[in-house]
């Protein structure tokens, strides 16, 4: 994977940031997660498959924009 940036428009507060950071951070191969509430983006670094990162965000209760 390397670097992946996703837009998650349903984020509205710091709880959202923590939930997504925690869920994505638990994915095997993820080395870093940066969640920007102001731009509703999630930047992920590492060797995880993009599908696994998207699934982790969905498991946290959020949808990734197409």
């Amino acid at each position: 994977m390397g670097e992946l940036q996703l837009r998650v428009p349903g984020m509205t507060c710091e709880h959202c940031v923590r939930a997504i950071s925690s869920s994505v951070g638990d994915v095997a191969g993820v080395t870093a997660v940066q969640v920007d509430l102001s731009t509703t983006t999630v930047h992920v670094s590492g060797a995880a498959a993009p599908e696994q990162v998207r699934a982790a965000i969905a498991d946290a209760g959020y949808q990734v924009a197409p």
Side-chain angles (χ1 to χ4, degrees), residues 9-32:
M11 294 190 298
T12 59
C13 64
E14 286 302 316
H15 169 76
C16 301
V17 171
R18 288 190 302 273
I20 291 172
S21 294
S22 176
S23 186
V24 172
D26 288 343
V27 174
V30 170
T31 56

Side-chain angles (χ1 to χ4, degrees), residues 26-62:
D26 288 343
V27 174
V30 170
T31 56
V33 180
Q34 293 177 312
V35 181
D36 187 334
L37 184 59
S38 64
T39 60
T40 66
T41 56
V42 178
H43 185 86
V44 183
S45 301
E51 304 82 36
Q52 290 178 319
V53 173
R54 286 183 176 89
I57 292 170
D59 288 345
Y62 301 90

